[in-house]
C-alpha cells in the first residue's frame, strides 16, 4: 500500500502498554498492589533496567529469574514463583476493566480493511492482557519481546517481528508511546515510527509521525 505520508507500507505494528491503553488507567488501579510488594518492585524495576542494557540473551526469562533470585536472596524457584504471582498473573486481573484509547480499535480495523498486516509487540507477555480488547482476531503476529531474548529498544524483537510478518522493516509502521523504546527502537531496526504522545512534535525529527488521537493516525496512514 502506497501512502502519502509514509510511502510504501505493508504492516502496522503496535506497542501495547501505554499505547493501546493509557498508562494512567492502569496506575490508578495499582497503588495497593505496589505497596503490598514495594520491596519486590524496587528490585524488579532495577532488574528490567539492567537487563535492557545487557541486550540479547539466550533465554531472557531464565536470566530474569536468576537476577531476581540474587536480588531477593532466594532460590530461583522462589524467584520464579514471585514473578508469576506478583507480575504476570498478579497484574492480569487489573486489565479487565481498562478500556483502550479512543479510536485505537477502530484504527486496527481500518488498517486491516485496507489490506495491511497487523502486529503487536510488547515488553510484557501480550497474553497478560487477555483478549486485547477484541484486537486479537485482526492480528497476523502477536509477539512478546521477552520471548525474543531482549527488551526494547534492542533491535532484536523488532527484527523478529518483521521476520514473522514476512515484511521488510522499512515497510512496517510501528506505533508506540515510548520515545526511547518504541520510536528509537523501531527506527534503529529500519522501520517507520508513529509516536503516540501529548507532545505536539518530535524536536529530534526521529519519529515519522506524532499524534494524540488515533483518528489522526488513521487519516495519515490511509491518505493516498
Amino acid at each position: 500500500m502506497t501512502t502519502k505520508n509514509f510511502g510504501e507500507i505493508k504492516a502496522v505494528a503496535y506497542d501495547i502498554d501505554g499505547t493501546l491503553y493509557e498508562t494512567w488507567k492502569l496506575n490508578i488501579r495499582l497503588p495497593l498492589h505496589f505497596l503490598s510488594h514495594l520491596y519486590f518492585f524496587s528490585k524488579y524495576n532495577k532488574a528490567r533496567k539492567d537487563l535492557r542494557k545487557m541486550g540479547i540473551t539466550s533465554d531472557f526469562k531464565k536470566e530474569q529469574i536468576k537476577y531476581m533470585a540474587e536480588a531477593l536472596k532466594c532460590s530461583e524457584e522462589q524467584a520464579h514463583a514471585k514473578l508469576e504471582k506478583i507480575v504476570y498473573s498478579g497484574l492480569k486481573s487489573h486489565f479487565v476493566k481498562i478500556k483502550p484509547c479512543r479510536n485505537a480499535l477502530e484504527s486496527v480495523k481500518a488498517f486491516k480493511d485496507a489490506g495491511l498486516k497487523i502486529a503487536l509487540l510488547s515488553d510484557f507477555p501480550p497474553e497478560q492482557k487477555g483478549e486485547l480488547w477484541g484486537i486479537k482476531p485482526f492480528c497476523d503476529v502477536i509477539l512478546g519481546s521477552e520471548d525474543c531474548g531482549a527488551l526494547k529498544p534492542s533491535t532484536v524483537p523488532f527484527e523478529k517481528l518483521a521476520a514473522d510478518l514476512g515484511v521488510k522493516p522499512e515497510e512496517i509502521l510501528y506505533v508506540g508511546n515510548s520515545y526511547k523504546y518504541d520510536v528509537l527502537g523501531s527506527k534503529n531496526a529500519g522501520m517507520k515510527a508513529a509516536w503516540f504522545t501529548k507532545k505536539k512534535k518530535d524536536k529530534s525529527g526521529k519519529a515519522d509521525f506524532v499524534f494524540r488521537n488515533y483518528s489522526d493516525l488513521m487519516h495519515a496512514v490511509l491518505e493516498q
Side-chain angles (χ1 to χ4, degrees):
M1 175 181 177
T2 302
T3 70
K4 179 180 179 180
N5 297 293
F6 304 105
E8 183 69 19
I9 61 171
K10 294 182 179 179
V12 178
Y14 296 78
D15 167 54
I16 298 177
D17 299 287
T19 298
L20 290 178
Y21 72 89
E22 293 174 298
T23 306
W24 67 265
K25 293 180 180 179
L26 174 63
N27 290 342
I28 61 174
R29 291 172 167 82
L30 295 182
L32 183 59
H33 185 71
F34 276 118
L35 287 173
S36 299
H37 305 286
L38 196 58
Y39 180 73
F40 173 89
F41 277 114
S42 69
K43 300 299 183 182
Y44 176 74
N45 291 336
K46 186 176 187 307
R48 299 286 284 197
K49 182 178 180 180
D50 290 346
L51 288 167
R52 284 186 197 279
K53 295 177 182 178
M54 285 176 59
I56 189 170
T57 65
S58 58
D59 189 329
F60 176 87
K61 293 180 180 179
K62 185 176 180 179
E63 288 295 329
Q64 181 173 253
I65 290 170
K66 181 180 178 181
Y67 188 109
M68 288 300 293
E70 293 176 356
L72 297 172
K73 295 180 174 56
C74 64
S75 69
E76 292 188 10
E77 290 76 14
Q78 290 172 318
H80 187 190
K82 287 179 182 292
L83 281 163
E84 181 60 34
K85 180 180 179 180
I86 299 172
V87 179
Y88 297 111
S89 297
L91 294 177
K92 189 173 183 178
S93 63
H94 294 281
F95 292 99
V96 176
K97 295 183 179 180
I98 291 178
K99 293 183 179 181
C101 295
R102 184 179 181 183
N103 295 319
L105 179 55
E106 287 75 9
S107 75
V108 172
K109 292 178 179 178
F111 299 153
K112 190 70 173 180
D113 288 342
L116 294 168
K117 290 186 175 183
I118 301 296
L120 302 179
L121 172 62
S122 176
D123 273 343
F124 291 94
E127 59 269 20
Q128 187 185 45
K129 280 75 181 179
E131 293 304 309
L132 289 161
W133 309 285
I135 291 173
K136 267 188 176 181
F138 300 96
C139 294
D140 298 277
V141 172
I142 299 177
L143 188 63
S145 62
E146 291 183 337
D147 294 319
C148 301
L151 301 178
K152 297 181 285 185
S154 168
T155 60
V156 172
F158 294 101
E159 290 164 354
K160 177 73 163 89
L161 180 73
D164 287 358
L165 280 169
V167 175
K168 296 177 182 178
E170 61 267 27
E171 295 174 331
I172 299 173
L173 175 64
Y174 191 80
V175 183
N177 71 303
S178 170
Y179 181 80
K180 182 178 180 180
Y181 302 146
D182 297 317
V183 174
L184 296 185
S186 61
K187 292 297 289 184
N188 288 338
M191 298 179 180
K192 299 176 176 71
W195 188 17
F196 177 58
T197 178
K198 291 182 179 179
K199 296 181 183 293
K200 294 183 178 180
K201 63 180 181 178
D202 173 13
K203 294 181 179 180
S204 74
K206 293 285 187 179
D208 296 278
F209 187 68
V210 178
F211 73 102
R212 184 58 187 166
N213 191 305
Y214 275 91
S215 61
D216 294 332
L217 179 67
M218 281 189 279
H219 179 74
V221 171
L222 300 176
E223 188 176 8
Q224 295 179 312

